[in-house]
Amino acid sequence: MVTTSHAQDEQRLLKLSLYAAGIFVLIALACALLTRSNSILFDGIYSLISFFMALVTLKVADLVERPNDDQFHFGYTAIEPTLNLFKSLIVIVTCIFAVFGAVNSLLSGGNSAEYGMAIFYGIFATVGCFVIAWIMKQRSQHLSSDLVGVDAKTWFIDGLLSASILLGFIGAWLLEHSPFHEYAPQVDPILLIILGLAILPIPGQIMIISFKEIINRAPPEVLVKEIEQRLAACLTEIDYDHLELRVSKRGRDLYLLVHIVVSEEFDLESIEQLDDIRQSSELTLREWNPAILMDILFIKDKALAG
């Protein structure tokens, strides 16, 4: 679990995301009405989704800080990947609906918009989204918070949307003031189709990672190998024949189940000796990664580690 100070930082960042999303919703929907742009409307709907998801994320961030209880014996951290999976699915569905709507608009002749005003919106939204995404990404690296990390990616996606919309509006404005002005109405739906398809891989990746955590799949092999090496370095003074490691990541917690198959030379003086081995090993590993939780079992029969 993260420390109290980190939990407070996490709450502040999630509140920043919530308040910023609320501001962007109001501005985007107002500009969509004034400019008659479906691309801005899509950007506003995306921000509206982000706003409601930020409310849920704040609640989840509070839940995962609670200790385990009679209902959740291993704590509440498994809610994190569940929420992130849900958020990614909503973004994917929103993109798909936006693309289908843009295709219908394109087939019916396109959509005229007030591109001059839309350009000013694009500048504001692009700068604002990328600034918030950068702040949250920088802070999430120190917090070990998947919630903040996914929010940072969400804002980055919104920034890409806004930047693409800005470029498209500049192109449409130039078309309106050129001999090819009849093609200007097609820019808005074409832009929306490109945007919807281009950003799908980002929520798709989040969905896959979250799903793997939900079904309790082991983390990447590179991480498991590094943990094994660090754990072996902690046990150099112990006589053992084999070390069996199982790793599970759910949300911010990285749980290790370690079976140590002791050798004939292993000499046990007291139970306290085993406690000291576990405490020193866990302390060393947590200095490397504070998210680690660990149980160590000492056994003689290797079959029990299977």
Side-chain angles (χ1 to χ4, degrees):
M1 305 293 285
V2 296
T3 64
T4 302
S5 175
H6 281 191
Q8 292 173 348
D9 287 343
E10 182 183 57
Q11 287 283 338
R12 281 193 288 267
L13 285 170
L14 293 175
K15 286 180 180 178
L16 169 65
S17 178
L18 174 66
Y19 299 147
I23 293 172
F24 273 88
V25 167
L26 296 175
I27 294 176
L29 295 181
C31 288
L33 291 174
L34 293 174
T35 62
R36 303 187 305 277
S37 168
N38 288 332
S39 295
I40 295 181
L41 179 61
F42 173 63
D43 200 24
I45 292 173
Y46 183 87
S47 296
L48 184 62
I49 293 171
S50 298
F51 176 77
F52 285 113
M53 293 311 299
L55 286 173
V56 178
T57 302
L58 271 173
K59 178 62 178 176
V60 171
D62 179 62
L63 277 175
V64 296
E65 285 304 304
R66 297 182 182 180
N68 51 48
D69 54 30
D70 292 338
Q71 291 183 317
F72 291 85
H73 292 186
F74 294 94
Y76 291 80
T77 53
I79 298 177
E80 283 187 88
T82 305
L83 174 63
N84 291 334
L85 176 67
F86 184 58
K87 290 168 73 172
S88 62
L89 286 173
I90 289 180
V91 173
I92 290 172
V93 171
T94 303
C95 290
I96 292 174
F97 271 102
V99 168
F100 276 109
V103 170
N104 289 332
S105 175
L106 187 62
L107 293 176
S108 61
N111 177 54
S112 297
E114 296 292 336
Y115 295 115
M117 182 182 297
I119 289 174
F120 288 104
Y121 166 80
I123 295 173
F124 165 78
T126 300
V127 173
C129 290
F130 280 136
V131 167
I132 295 172
W134 181 82
I135 292 173
M136 301 196 73
K137 178 177 174 56
Q138 292 298 313
R139 292 299 301 151
S140 70
Q141 295 174 348
H142 302 290
L143 292 175
S144 299
S145 169
D146 287 346
L147 294 177
V148 176
V150 170
D151 252 19
K153 290 182 180 180
T154 302
W155 279 105
F156 181 74
I157 293 173
D158 208 353
L160 290 178
L161 281 173
S162 301
S164 302
I165 288 172
L166 173 60
L167 293 175
F169 287 155
I170 292 173
W173 183 84
L174 293 174
L175 276 177
E176 277 193 331
H177 297 81
S178 74
F180 306 99
H181 56 84
E182 67 271 15
Y183 296 108
Q186 298 178 11
V187 172
D188 195 48
I190 290 176
L191 182 62
L192 191 50
I193 293 171
I194 294 173
L195 289 175
L197 295 176
I199 67 176
L200 275 177
I202 299 178
Q205 183 184 35
I206 295 173
M207 179 187 69
I208 293 172
I209 293 173
S210 301
F211 181 72
K212 287 180 179 179
E213 291 190 16
I214 290 173
I215 64 175
N216 212 24
R217 180 171 174 174
E221 186 65 21
V222 175
L223 176 61
V224 177
K225 289 294 184 184
E226 183 170 4
I227 294 174
E228 284 183 343
Q229 293 172 1
R230 291 180 178 272
L231 184 57
C234 297
L235 304 173
T236 53
E237 298 182 2
I238 303 173
D239 293 316
Y240 67 93
D241 293 330
H242 179 69
L243 187 151
E244 185 72 29
L245 172 66
R246 289 180 173 82
V247 185
S248 172
K249 182 183 183 302
R250 288 205 176 179
R252 65 195 61 195
D253 286 347
L254 194 61
Y255 176 68
L256 314 182
L257 176 60
V258 185
H259 286 86
I260 298 178
V261 184
V262 299
S263 66
E264 295 291 344
E265 292 75 21
F266 182 78
D267 184 23
L268 177 64
E269 297 179 358
S270 66
I271 296 297
E272 284 75 13
Q273 179 187 358
L274 301 182
D275 290 343
D276 291 340
I277 294 171
R278 175 184 170 178
Q279 289 172 356
S280 62
S281 300
E282 186 168 11
L283 179 61
T284 301
L285 288 174
R286 284 177 64 85
E287 288 176 353
W288 166 65
N289 187 340
I292 285 179
L293 303 171
M294 182 168 65
D295 282 320
I296 296 182
L297 302 179
F298 294 87
I299 58 176
K300 183 68 175 175
D301 185 354
K302 186 177 179 179
L304 294 175

